Amino acid sequence: MSRRLLAWVIPGIMFAIGCLVGGVLGSVDVLHFDKRVDVLGLSTLVATVAISAVFYRKFARHQYSDQLRKDALLRRLRESFENVCALEECCESKPLMLSAVVSALKICGREFRLFVEFSRTMDPKNSPAVSQGAVKEHAMATRDINRLLTWTTIGKQSSPPVAIQNGVITLSGDRRVEVELRIQDLKRTLLDVEIAIIVAV
Amino acid sequence: MTRTLSIAQQFSRTPGPRFESEGQFSGEEFRRTVLLPLVREAMGERSKLAVDLDGTAGYGTSFLEEAFGGLVRHDNIKSTELLALLEFKSNEEPYLTEDVRTYITEATPAQ
């Protein structure tokens, strides 16, 4: 049961029991005109309300910290998203500079690794990023993009998919599409992680 | 004894393409001017060579392949010897060390 539910259910049940017991004792008192029973019923009710309030505060605090944790994770993840968007923009730019591409890829990988570390530190047992296998997928996609953009062939080819001249990359149409697809994979991986965080935390 | 080679400090913070004809700070240039002399010295001394990949803006895959795979392809150094000689360090992009080892293993000597 989630903490959000517990914050309401446990104090709610206690409050209901308190009302019931207090009410029954109160009714008994009405029938028998006994002030001791009346006092007992009232104090049961007050005690139950107090205990319910304590429980509510305890679980509400947990709920608050969960919300903070979720916000912090999502904020970190958003930075990874922004890096992928920056990479996408970089890949669409003309001229396509090798130094800009490798730098954007490095930043992308580094930010995601930082996010994963952050996520593991926050919740070592149930890190959404790790449970989704996103670490592996992200690393593979980043590596693929790097290879698709920077792997020039060893031998001479008449029309290579990737050519570099003075640090400027020229891509064939097919290669450009492949790169775009892998960037979409990267975004999808991050979206999966985001959904996992929203659902799990 | 272990020699150390930092690509960022001893070559460039912005490694470039594969061949010198493709642009500045290429893998070919790095291999020819920096890596090969150090590898030869380390082999002569029977010492290790620790290659630090950190501190650069990032690597293109063909730069790394040409630099390290090129030692096997062009300079007739056996991949097994090279793997025993070189140690790689990359805290910033940990997967690079495995990639470079693969490039060395898969490189074949030129006929």
Side-chain angles (χ1 to χ4, degrees):
Chain A
M1 194 181 290
S2 75
R3 282 175 178 172
R4 189 178 301 174
L5 219 60
L6 282 174
W8 289 102
V9 169
I10 291 184
I13 290 171
M14 293 195 70
F15 186 72
I17 292 170
C19 286
L20 199 67
V21 173
V24 168
L25 289 174
S27 309
V28 171
D29 174 43
V30 169
L31 290 173
H32 294 89
F33 302 104
D34 187 343
K35 280 193 176 177
R36 280 175 301 178
V37 178
D38 192 22
V39 169
L40 191 63
L42 194 64
S43 20
T44 311
L45 187 63
V46 170
T48 321
V49 168
I51 293 169
S52 302
V54 169
F55 265 89
Y56 178 75
R57 274 180 65 87
K58 180 177 159 58
F59 286 111
R61 198 181 299 137
H62 276 304
Q63 188 185 337
Y64 180 63
S65 71
D66 281 353
Q67 189 61 43
L68 280 180
R69 186 187 307 172
K70 184 197 276 188
D71 289 348
L73 274 174
L74 290 175
R75 228 179 0 255
R76 274 262 173 205
L77 188 65
R78 203 165 302 130
E79 281 176 29
S80 287
F81 261 118
E82 282 167 13
N83 289 322
V84 175
C85 291
L87 174 68
E88 192 176 25
E89 272 178 33
C90 178
C91 292
E92 285 167 1
S93 65
K94 284 179 184 172
L96 181 53
M97 302 300 295
L98 175 69
S99 55
V101 162
V102 292
S103 173
L105 278 163
K106 185 173 177 175
I107 292 168
C108 244
R110 188 186 60 204
E111 278 301 325
F112 189 69
R113 275 194 301 280
L114 280 175
F115 162 74
V116 171
E117 285 303 314
F118 188 65
S119 158
R120 276 189 183 135
T121 310
M122 277 193 153
D123 195 351
K125 287 178 186 169
N126 186 29
S127 161
V130 179
S131 63
Q132 291 297 304
V135 181
K136 202 175 172 186
E137 279 176 31
H138 192 280
M140 274 174 63
T142 317
R143 218 185 282 191
D144 284 355
I145 293 167
N146 193 353
R147 199 178 164 87
L148 286 168
L149 287 166
T150 67
W151 186 270
T152 51
T153 47
I154 298 162
K156 295 259 181 227
Q157 274 189 8
S158 56
S159 54
V162 180
I164 299 176
Q165 198 60 47
N166 295 326
V168 177
I169 304 172
T170 311
L171 295 175
S172 71
D174 289 350
R175 182 54 63 95
R176 200 171 274 280
V177 171
E178 277 184 74
V179 171
E180 279 168 18
L181 287 174
R182 293 307 278 147
I183 289 175
Q184 294 312 315
D185 287 348
L186 212 50
K187 283 185 175 175
R188 204 172 303 121
T189 306
L190 294 178
L191 266 176
D192 289 345
V193 175
E194 187 174 22
I195 291 167
I197 291 169
I198 291 168
V199 171
V201 182
Chain B
M1 198 181 96
T2 304
R3 285 172 167 270
T4 309
L5 162 61
S6 165
I7 297 180
Q9 286 174 15
Q10 288 167 255
F11 182 62
S12 169
R13 290 199 70 249
T14 53
R18 180 187 290 276
F19 298 120
E20 287 180 286
S21 59
E22 292 174 334
Q24 277 190 313
F25 306 121
S26 63
E28 186 184 17
E29 183 189 346
F30 170 66
R31 173 169 51 80
R32 204 171 42 76
T33 59
V34 180
L35 185 60
L36 184 61
L38 281 172
V39 166
R40 295 258 190 247
E41 279 177 32
M43 285 176 121
E45 293 171 358
R46 294 180 182 279
S47 60
K48 293 249 180 194
L49 178 61
V51 182
D52 184 358
L53 300 165
D54 289 336
T56 67
Y59 294 95
T61 49
S62 51
F63 173 91
L64 292 172
E65 201 284 334
E66 186 59 34
F68 295 96
L71 289 172
V72 178
R73 201 164 37 249
H74 301 291
D75 301 305
N76 298 319
I77 301 173
K78 285 181 184 167
S79 57
T80 46
E81 280 179 38
L82 210 50
L83 288 171
L85 178 87
L86 297 174
E87 286 172 355
F88 298 100
K89 178 186 161 242
S90 177
N91 294 330
E92 294 172 356
E93 294 175 279
Y95 65 89
L96 283 182
T97 58
E98 198 50 48
D99 285 0
V100 174
R101 285 179 189 283
T102 311
Y103 297 146
I104 293 172
T105 311
E106 290 178 353
T108 48
Q111 297 301 313

